[in-house]
Amino acid sequence: MSQFLYKLFIGLGLFQTFVLAEGDAQTAATRTISFPASQPSGAVNVPADFVGFGYDSAFLNDYDNDFTRNLINSVGSRMTAPPIIRIGGTSGDRSFFDPTSTLNRTCISGDCPNGSGATFIFGPSYFEGFKGIPNAHVTFQVPLAAKVNATNVRDYATRAYQALGADNLAAIAIGNEVAAKGHEATAADYVKAAKTVEQIVTDALNLTGNSEKIFEVLDLASNQVDNLSPWTLPDAFNEGLDNNSLAKYAAEHWYQYDGSATGTLNLQAQLMNHTAITNKFIPFGKSLSYLKTHKPSLPYVLSETGSALGGTDAYSDRFGACLWSVDFQLFAMAQGVARIDGTQRPAALHSLFVPVNGIPDNPGPSVRAPFYAQPFIADFIKSTTGVVEMGLNSDFLTAYAAYNANGLARVALVNLHEWNAGDNTQRGNQTFVLKVPTSTKNVTVGRLTAAAGAEAGGFDNGGQNITYAGQQWSYSVDNGKGHPSAASTTKVQVSNGVATVSVKDSEAVVVYVQS
């Protein structure tokens, strides 16, 4: 990373402990990290519902099954607040309600029946899918077209709200990737449309007082944020967005690799790389910095995320993408991002899991490698009061500390060095010397690992097992409930406040400092 980019990050006030990553050898020397015993001033409070999920609107009913509910519960049971599931996406703006339809959805144009650009008709039974969402809160998207269709907005909002119930509603999103999908060409256009939709929805649902503050605004496309074009989050707020104080979240989208790069694909440089994450964050950091200054009480969320929109399977549904997700989520939370929704559509390769069968080129039902990032992150942040990144001056090695009222609670260590069993090379190993409070007698290590390394797809996706803290998830074995397949954790003795923990290439661990 250049000195310019480093100074820009510092100038934005986004983090205090980041150290320039100038690259490091594949086999690195022992890394020593000293952790403050009590929470440092730069630590960021992470919301208990940071770990989120997302389903493309048109495919809501595909997720109404026990397999999906078991997977969501496996993560939600590790959290101290219900996870939030976003029901939205491109299809949400390209859908219409037909009260006479006997089907939950009918694809009428575009890349039918499973594509992201298709147009759908929803029947009354579509909204039954909201009733099957387990132990979670929901953000649902109302459709936003070039010209606001009041009937369409009202139909979707009222039926989704009735099926879901007010107590289970997290937010109502106004459209999806608004400038990138051919409407709201200017920030002023979007602000006008958003206020129109807010009025339609509050009237239709009879929302008054604090209940009116329920809207998720913007949901800007990842490449729109990257290119600061055609308009940005600050542009919208400067045009008067939320001057009525009805916004509950401001949202943008993130895809690490968008498929536009030319030349040779390089997983290590483009995905399994901490500096690639921090560099991409710069324009997103501008949005976050703006909100901290002008709307400090408005949470900033990344409501649609994925490792890649192109490239090979290695970029989407293999263990390398899982490790990218772990580091991405850890870094984002340390900057102040309030939630990250792991987004999916049954046919999307970057999905956390595939809920049904019959999807071409994406067999299911199946658990995919990226899912394993979710329980890892949920465990790391549980009951914390603050998280901080520890600067390691590395493209491939990262460390984060989580604190609670009693001091240092957990440490996350990530080794992004790419290793694949199929390459027939020796697997590297990084030793970390952790300086923890001297009163600590031992630490407990939960490991996110795959014997095949970055190329592993998981038991359901090629048979190459992945485990986190000894747990494995599978449709065919446990219907998404999870089952033990190895020792859950290991104990490491602490001597004079020093614990030594090894992390293999293409592996990550959570270190529990408090018993």
Side-chain angles (χ1 to χ4, degrees):
M1 182 185 290
S2 69
Q3 287 286 344
F4 168 77
L5 295 180
Y6 174 71
K7 290 177 180 178
L8 177 59
F9 266 59
I10 293 297
L12 290 172
L14 296 177
F15 57 94
Q16 292 77 32
T17 60
F18 183 80
V19 179
L20 289 178
E22 299 295 351
D24 49 309
Q26 185 72 17
T27 303
T30 297
R31 296 295 183 113
T32 299
I33 310 173
S34 297
F35 295 93
S38 58
Q39 181 172 306
S41 60
V44 174
N45 183 40
V46 179
D49 57 5
F50 176 87
V51 179
F53 297 83
Y55 312 152
D56 189 288
S57 294
F59 304 95
L60 168 64
N61 304 92
D62 289 351
Y63 294 91
D64 186 8
N65 54 53
D66 287 340
F67 174 52
T68 296
R69 285 185 277 273
N70 290 337
L71 288 171
I72 300 299
N73 283 331
S74 290
V75 177
S77 64
R78 302 165 185 267
M79 301 168 61
T80 57
I84 292 176
I85 301 174
R86 173 197 179 234
I87 311 301
T90 304
S91 68
D93 282 349
R94 298 180 177 180
S95 62
F96 301 89
F97 176 67
D98 178 359
T100 68
S101 176
T102 60
L103 302 176
N104 58 55
R105 71 173 182 264
T106 304
C107 191
I108 59 173
S109 65
D111 49 346
C112 293
N114 300 308
S116 62
T119 298
F120 293 87
I121 296 292
F122 296 153
S125 64
Y126 166 86
F127 296 94
E128 293 297 308
F130 283 103
K131 298 179 180 179
I133 294 175
N135 304 320
H137 293 162
V138 171
T139 292
F140 66 77
Q141 173 192 324
V142 291
L144 183 63
K147 181 179 179 180
V148 175
N149 183 329
T151 300
N152 207 29
V153 171
R154 191 180 299 111
D155 283 343
Y156 194 99
T158 54
R159 286 165 174 80
Y161 187 78
Q162 290 167 0
L164 186 63
D167 291 342
N168 297 318
L169 178 63
I172 298 173
I174 304 172
N176 175 74
E177 299 188 347
V178 288
K181 301 301 182 184
H183 51 84
E184 287 73 58
T186 69
D189 291 338
Y190 174 73
V191 172
K192 181 179 179 181
K195 290 183 176 181
T196 299
V197 170
E198 287 171 344
Q199 189 64 58
I200 294 168
V201 171
T202 54
D203 288 348
L205 303 184
N206 194 28
L207 302 178
T208 59
N210 290 335
S211 65
E212 290 183 295
K213 190 179 178 68
I214 198 63
F215 294 98
E216 179 176 289
V217 296
L218 294 172
D219 279 279
L220 297 180
S222 180
N223 61 356
Q224 181 179 353
V225 183
D226 288 340
N227 300 319
L228 304 177
S229 175
W231 49 269
T232 65
L233 178 151
D235 292 336
F237 281 95
N238 289 338
E239 287 287 347
L241 181 63
D242 199 40
N243 59 10
N244 56 8
S245 300
L246 298 186
K248 187 175 180 180
Y249 302 105
E252 295 184 322
H253 297 174
W254 177 302
Y255 288 94
Q256 183 66 39
Y257 174 72
D258 65 5
S260 63
T262 58
T264 303
L265 294 173
N266 188 324
L267 187 71
Q268 185 74 92
Q270 295 165 328
L271 194 69
M272 294 181 67
N273 190 300
H274 183 65
T275 303
I277 293 171
T278 61
N279 283 350
K280 183 178 177 67
F281 192 81
I282 291 173
F284 294 83
K286 292 178 180 179
S287 297
L288 182 55
S289 181
Y290 178 92
L291 291 175
K292 286 181 177 179
T293 300
H294 299 280
K295 290 280 184 178
S297 63
L298 185 61
Y300 174 75
V301 303
L302 296 174
S303 62
E304 181 176 319
T305 65
S307 56
L309 291 174
T312 64
D313 285 355
Y315 281 69
S316 298
D317 67 350
R318 297 295 188 264
F319 192 53
C322 173
L323 293 172
W324 162 81
S325 180
V326 167
D327 193 50
F328 161 59
Q329 293 192 64
L330 290 169
F331 176 77
M333 74 173 67
Q335 314 318 308
V337 175
R339 188 176 75 251
I340 289 179
D341 295 332
T343 306
Q344 45 198 28
R345 175 172 49 86
L349 291 180
H350 62 76
S351 295
L352 308 180
F353 56 93
V354 179
V356 293
N357 61 14
I359 307 298
D361 303 319
N362 214 24
S366 61
V367 179
R368 298 305 177 95
F371 172 81
Y372 284 79
Q374 305 302 83
F376 182 104
I377 297 297
D379 278 351
F380 176 71
I381 64 174
K382 187 175 183 177
S383 301
T384 59
T385 57
V387 169
V388 64
E389 182 186 5
M390 311 299 294
L392 296 188
N393 190 33
S394 172
D395 292 336
F396 312 121
L397 304 173
T398 60
Y400 303 83
Y403 290 82
N404 61 22
N406 296 317
L408 180 65
R410 286 174 289 281
V411 171
L413 303 172
V414 185
N415 184 341
L416 292 171
H417 282 293
E418 182 187 357
W419 180 83
N420 300 291
D423 294 339
N424 295 316
T425 59
Q426 184 175 356
R427 191 170 194 172
N429 187 65
Q430 177 65 52
T431 299
F432 292 91
V433 175
L434 310 180
K435 294 186 176 182
V436 298
T438 55
S439 59
T440 307
K441 302 301 181 185
N442 55 62
V443 298
T444 302
V445 179
R447 201 168 293 273
L448 175 60
T449 191
E455 67 189 15
F459 184 80
D460 288 346
N461 187 25
Q464 296 170 309
N465 287 349
I466 299 168
T467 59
Y468 165 60
Q471 286 285 113
Q472 183 181 37
W473 285 265
S474 165
Y475 171 76
S476 59
V477 176
D478 57 48
N479 199 28
K481 293 180 179 180
H483 65 277
S485 63
S488 60
T489 57
T490 56
K491 293 275 189 185
V492 174
Q493 295 299 310
V494 176
S495 178
N496 297 319
V498 174
T500 301
V501 177
S502 293
V503 184
K504 296 176 182 177
D505 289 353
S506 297
E507 191 174 75
V509 301
V510 176
V511 181
Y512 296 84
V513 178
Q514 298 173 7
S515 59

